[in-house]
Amino acid sequence: MAMEKGALSPVGQQTVRPDPQWGGDLLDLDAYLRRTGYDGPLDTSVETLFALHRAHKESIAFENLDVALGRGISLDLGDIGRKLVDGGRGGYCFEHNLLLAAVLERLGFPVTRLLARVRNGRRLTRYRAHTVLVVSAGLELWAVDAGFGAEGLIEPVRLGAGEVTKVGAWSWRVIREQDQWVLQTLHEDGWFDLYTFRVERHFAVDFEVSNYYTAHHERSTFTGKVIAMRGTEDVQQTLVDRELTTRHGDGRTERTVLSGDAVVGLLRDTFAIRLTDRDARLLRQRLAALAPAPQDPIPTPQEA
């Protein structure tokens, strides 16, 4: 499998300077480590890769609030750092995985940045609207993805046909399908396709085109609605406008319709997104244009 310039083969581990097109020199590593609360080893071991991935996933939410409020999404690494690291915000896949890629490269991990085709259980050929990383650690290749949302990986999965990883209540595996890989997650009725990808060289301009379509086109999943997601070992939560769907590891699924105030509270508390008062006001105004919602508080999993 070909690796991009600036990446390393899993065998040999010869140091190669990261490709400057990705802007890794703009990364404030110390600020990122404070943001994620990671204080473990900074070597290139598999254990460090797993720990960094989990810390990122637990600390930085998946959200599209800038898209929902009619703003663009910058893939400049300095802008990503100011938003996700300094600003306490979340982001969507491009932001998450380009940030994590820069962190891993700074530490010496070989990284290949890829574009993937989302399936979400449907075998359609969609445009490449997602990002995933292939990272070399422990003389093996790993699929790394902190930016898929509720059903996304909590820890990396080894890039090998039929390889399975299980974290808490959830399982994922990668399979080969002709010339591409498929990442799947386990549902009650069997394995569910999340997305497909090929290991090949991509360029920063490829990401810019895909990101622009995803953030602006009327047919994109992320335009015209508020989306936020989080996934832990026990629960997966997806907010779309005012509807919160909570999927538990024991198979229970709950759906709750929220008021605008409740959505803002959920984003700030459960999703740990630092909203300015102005953004909170704009979100309330946007959500107020939807059908009326109850003013009851959000039930916690213990109350539901």
Side-chain angles (χ1 to χ4, degrees):
M1 290 174 289
M3 304 289 280
E4 72 184 35
K5 181 181 178 182
L8 312 182
S9 164
V11 178
Q13 299 290 322
Q14 298 177 356
T15 301
V16 178
R17 188 181 183 85
D19 191 329
Q21 69 175 309
W22 301 105
D25 58 316
L26 300 175
L27 172 71
D28 185 337
L29 180 61
D30 290 338
Y32 174 86
L33 297 175
R34 289 192 299 270
R35 171 76 165 97
T36 59
Y38 182 77
D39 60 0
L42 296 177
D43 55 24
T44 56
S45 67
V46 172
E47 293 77 14
T48 295
L49 174 63
F50 273 52
L52 285 165
H53 192 288
R54 183 182 277 266
H56 183 118
K57 179 85 174 185
E58 292 174 350
S59 304
I60 307 178
F62 184 103
E63 48 104 330
N64 79 327
L65 302 183
D66 284 338
V67 175
L69 294 175
R71 303 166 183 161
I73 299 293
S74 172
L75 298 189
D76 176 87
L77 196 65
D79 291 337
I80 294 174
R82 281 184 286 275
K83 177 181 173 181
L84 274 66
V85 177
D86 303 331
R89 285 281 305 280
Y92 66 4
C93 65
F94 296 94
E95 299 164 289
H96 277 279
N97 285 329
L98 290 181
L99 176 60
L100 182 57
V103 170
L104 295 173
E105 278 190 337
R106 176 69 61 84
L107 298 180
F109 287 96
V111 179
T112 298
R113 299 159 178 84
L114 301 172
L115 291 168
R117 302 183 192 275
V118 175
R119 281 188 172 173
N120 271 338
R122 302 177 66 192
R123 296 202 169 193
L124 302 176
T125 302
R126 294 186 171 98
Y127 76 101
R128 290 172 169 173
H130 181 58
T131 69
V132 59
L133 310 176
V134 171
V135 178
S136 175
L139 302 182
E140 294 183 283
L141 296 177
W142 302 84
V144 170
D145 183 358
F148 192 73
E151 288 201 279
L153 292 168
I154 294 176
E155 294 178 346
V157 59
R158 194 191 324 270
L159 196 61
E163 288 287 338
V164 176
T165 186
K166 179 177 174 60
V167 181
W170 322 109
S171 295
W172 296 266
R173 77 173 180 182
V174 287
I175 62 170
R176 286 293 287 177
E177 185 182 276
Q178 298 179 342
D179 62 341
Q180 63 187 358
W181 295 100
V182 183
L183 179 69
Q184 301 175 313
T185 190
L186 187 59
H187 285 189
E188 290 185 357
D189 58 352
W191 289 101
F192 179 90
D193 290 2
L194 295 177
Y195 55 79
T196 69
F197 61 96
R198 293 182 177 89
V199 181
E200 59 190 9
R201 188 176 184 191
H202 288 74
F203 298 89
V205 291
D206 300 321
F207 283 70
E208 291 286 353
V209 171
S210 184
N211 173 61
Y212 186 86
Y213 184 102
T214 303
H216 295 280
H217 199 280
E218 62 183 11
R219 293 178 60 186
S220 168
T221 301
F222 296 102
T223 57
K225 61 181 75 71
V226 172
I227 298 175
M229 293 187 273
R230 65 186 290 267
T232 69
E233 291 190 6
D234 304 311
V235 68
Q236 296 174 343
Q237 293 179 292
T238 299
L239 174 73
V240 179
D241 285 330
R242 289 188 286 99
E243 181 172 284
L244 175 68
T245 301
T246 302
R247 181 170 172 242
H248 298 277
D250 60 9
R252 291 179 297 124
T253 298
E254 302 155 356
R255 289 181 175 84
T256 308
V257 178
L258 311 172
S259 67
D261 285 342
V263 167
V264 169
L266 181 79
L267 292 172
R268 283 175 163 166
D269 299 332
T270 301
F271 290 92
I273 297 169
R274 191 188 306 165
L275 289 180
T276 65
D277 290 342
R278 178 175 182 271
D279 283 352
R281 183 177 69 255
L282 292 173
L283 285 171
R284 289 189 185 97
Q285 291 172 355
R286 190 195 179 287
L287 295 169
L290 303 175
Q295 300 299 312
D296 296 332
I298 306 165
T300 66
Q302 293 78 18
E303 296 169 340

